[in-house]
Amino acid sequence: MRISSARVIVTCPGRNFVTLKIETDEGLTGVGDATLNGRELAVAAYLNEHVLPALIGRDPARIEDTWQYLYRGAYWRRGPVTMSAIAAVDTALWDIKGKVAGLPVYQLLGGRSRDGVTVYGHANGATVPELLESVAGFVARGYRAVRIQAAVPASEISDTYGVSAAPIYEPASSAIPAEAVWSTPAYLHHIPSVFAAVRAEFGPALRLLHDVHHRLTPIEAARLGRALEPYALTWLEDPVPAELQDGFRLIRQHTTTPIAVGEVFNSIWDCEQLIREQLIDYVRATVVHAGGLTHLRRIFDLAALHHVRTGSHGATDLSPVSMSAALHLDLAIPNFGLQEYMAHAPETDAVFPHGYRYEGGYLHPSEEPGLGVDIDEDEAARYPYRAASLPVARLEDGTMHNW
Ligand code: GCO
Ligand code: MG
């Protein structure tokens, strides 16, 4: 069997997605997600200009060899654009391999290690009562784990990360980034009282998470982690930017609140020290941004050796193709932790027909051969690309900060 054609489909059914579709000379097809929020066209060009010409005629069964060919062959290793492009090819080839075998991909990865994939949802509120209502909605729908984000009621903060009244989560907006103002002292003062209110209302069993979205320094993160210890979080996410892996030692020295990191990682080298030194508890790398199932499995196997579990990113800017692929891996690996899950817009679901389903706190991947997801290209053609960037954050004095 040979790869006979491959094309990149850019569509905006509510938000932008970049999808690779590979076809073989025997009529089988595979899909891969290549969406990089706010930088979509860079990955589309990388695929179109530099990857697709070399794919035609290759044996689609050689997944590892193709991965190595694209990684080593570029000479310029790593980086989110390169690794998202490689991920799309890798994911599409796993999809094809499943179809050839007549098996869902999780069977090729070793079969089920659990009955379903535990997911967490996003609760948020402009006020604490609004937040409690949002949490109650998730509990009523059977969720066992909920991420908690609440607006900071301080004049110094113009827009709190993760708090929005929109039914579908979407941080990217205008082509030129929107600007928000941030105050660390106001945030640190407010958040412990939010968790006190949530625990008082929902008791000890509900698993609670919080995303700091890279806003703190290690010592500030250590202080927050310690202040949140009474509320027994499942994880505190992205407390600091993770370029400096050593920085996490300082957090670890001061708090037992578990730490989750990794949605912006694209290689095992981004977290090798974090994992080896057991500086984190959950690694949140994803199929699309970390080189596909082949590379993500490598990261997760390293994590398993060091008591680190997984918590893959699953925001709405990852397409249903990514979610399908993630679920097959989540089901198979021994050290799965949690999977992030947010509903996509109905237009997105229509463009990407998929067989995974939510039931009582769990997601279940499709039992169809392959990944169990496709792209409807006629439907996709109805939604042309719209430029949209992620926001930026500044401190009160105008200094650029981390969004
Ligand atoms: C999360 C993430 C996202 C990111 C978004 C950026 O934990 O879900 O922080 O919400 O902000 O994916 O594109
Ligand atoms: Mg996050």
Side-chain angles (χ1 to χ4, degrees):
M1 194 187 299
R2 296 284 149 190
I3 295 174
S4 52
S5 74
R7 57 188 172 280
V8 175
I9 302 140
V10 180
T11 178
C12 186
R15 69 152 359 272
N16 293 315
F17 294 107
V18 179
T19 309
L20 173 67
K21 187 150 191 174
I22 293 181
E23 278 176 5
T24 72
D25 54 2
E26 295 185 17
L28 289 177
T29 62
V31 285
D33 184 17
T35 308
L36 184 61
N37 199 357
R39 294 293 183 268
E40 294 87 357
L41 299 185
V43 189
Y46 190 106
L47 281 165
N48 277 321
E49 303 298 325
H50 307 295
V51 174
L52 299 198
L55 280 185
I56 310 305
R58 291 183 74 84
D59 177 356
R62 295 180 62 163
I63 298 179
E64 180 69 40
D65 181 64
T66 302
W67 196 96
Q68 298 293 338
Y69 176 79
L70 294 174
Y71 184 79
R72 293 167 196 267
Y75 183 66
W76 311 107
R77 298 175 182 210
R78 305 163 57 182
V81 175
T82 299
M83 297 303 274
S84 300
I86 295 178
V89 175
D90 184 79
T91 308
L93 295 185
W94 277 103
D95 193 18
I96 291 172
K97 195 176 277 299
K99 290 176 182 174
V100 170
L103 292 170
V105 166
Y106 75 80
Q107 294 289 11
L108 307 181
L109 298 171
R112 272 174 196 280
S113 285
R114 54 196 51 80
D115 300 328
V117 172
T118 307
V119 296
Y120 69 90
H122 284 202
N124 67 69
T127 62
V128 170
E130 245 179 72
L131 167 68
L132 297 179
E133 205 182 306
S134 168
V135 179
F138 283 99
V139 171
R141 279 174 277 147
Y143 279 77
R144 291 167 165 73
V146 183
R147 191 185 87 164
I148 303 295
Q149 307 294 134
V152 180
S155 54
E156 308 93 293
I157 293 193
S158 68
D159 185 23
T160 313
Y161 164 75
V163 178
S164 146
I168 308 292
Y169 169 83
E170 183 48 73
S173 55
S174 44
I176 304 298
E179 305 225 351
V181 181
W182 174 254
S183 160
T184 297
Y187 167 77
L188 288 179
H189 178 74
H190 184 60
I191 291 301
S193 66
V194 170
F195 277 87
V198 174
R199 271 288 174 234
E201 180 83 9
F202 296 96
L206 186 63
R207 299 175 69 178
L208 303 180
L209 298 75
H210 179 63
D211 191 348
V212 182
H213 224 258
H214 325 274
R215 303 285 167 89
L216 302 178
T217 64
I219 200 69
E220 290 163 351
R223 181 179 143 203
L224 179 63
R226 188 179 274 187
L228 294 177
E229 280 173 20
Y231 314 113
L233 268 64
T234 292
W235 79 46
L236 187 65
E237 175 174 332
D238 288 338
V240 298
E243 287 98 327
L244 181 68
Q245 297 184 37
D246 266 338
F248 284 76
R249 275 207 207 108
L250 189 56
I251 307 175
R252 266 301 200 232
Q253 282 160 5
H254 293 283
T255 180
T256 57
T257 293
I259 305 295
V261 188
E263 65 185 47
V264 303
F265 292 169
N266 49 70
S267 157
I268 198 165
W269 300 106
D270 293 332
C271 46
E272 191 271 338
Q273 182 190 358
L274 290 176
I275 292 172
R276 181 169 40 78
E277 294 189 18
Q278 299 176 47
L279 300 177
I280 59 172
D281 301 279
Y282 294 88
V283 59
R284 300 191 60 258
T286 68
V287 174
V288 53
H289 301 136
L293 287 167
T294 297
H295 194 64
L296 194 57
R297 175 82 201 230
R298 210 147 274 158
I299 296 175
F300 288 175
D301 283 345
L302 177 69
L305 298 181
H306 296 87
H307 303 280
V308 174
R309 283 180 287 171
T310 72
S312 286
H313 189 203
T316 38
D317 48 286
L318 283 62
S319 87
V321 176
S322 272
M323 182 54 78
S324 300
L327 292 175
H328 288 277
L329 193 56
D330 292 341
L331 203 63
I333 54 174
N335 55 328
F336 169 74
L338 280 176
Q339 170 67 52
E340 183 179 26
Y341 173 51
M342 304 165 74
H344 282 110
E347 309 91 279
T348 302
D349 286 336
V351 167
F352 297 98
H354 54 265
Y356 60 79
R357 63 190 168 82
Y358 172 84
E359 206 183 300
Y362 298 100
L363 274 175
H364 300 277
S366 163
E367 289 295 330
E368 274 173 51
L371 295 174
V373 61
D374 206 346
I375 180 162
D376 178 331
E377 293 182 57
D378 294 332
E379 197 62 22
R382 295 177 50 207
Y383 304 102
Y385 169 80
R386 284 198 316 253
S389 296
L390 288 167
V392 299
R394 290 184 187 277
L395 302 179
E396 292 159 82
D397 68 358
T399 305
M400 275 298 303
H401 196 54
N402 310 307
W403 178 72

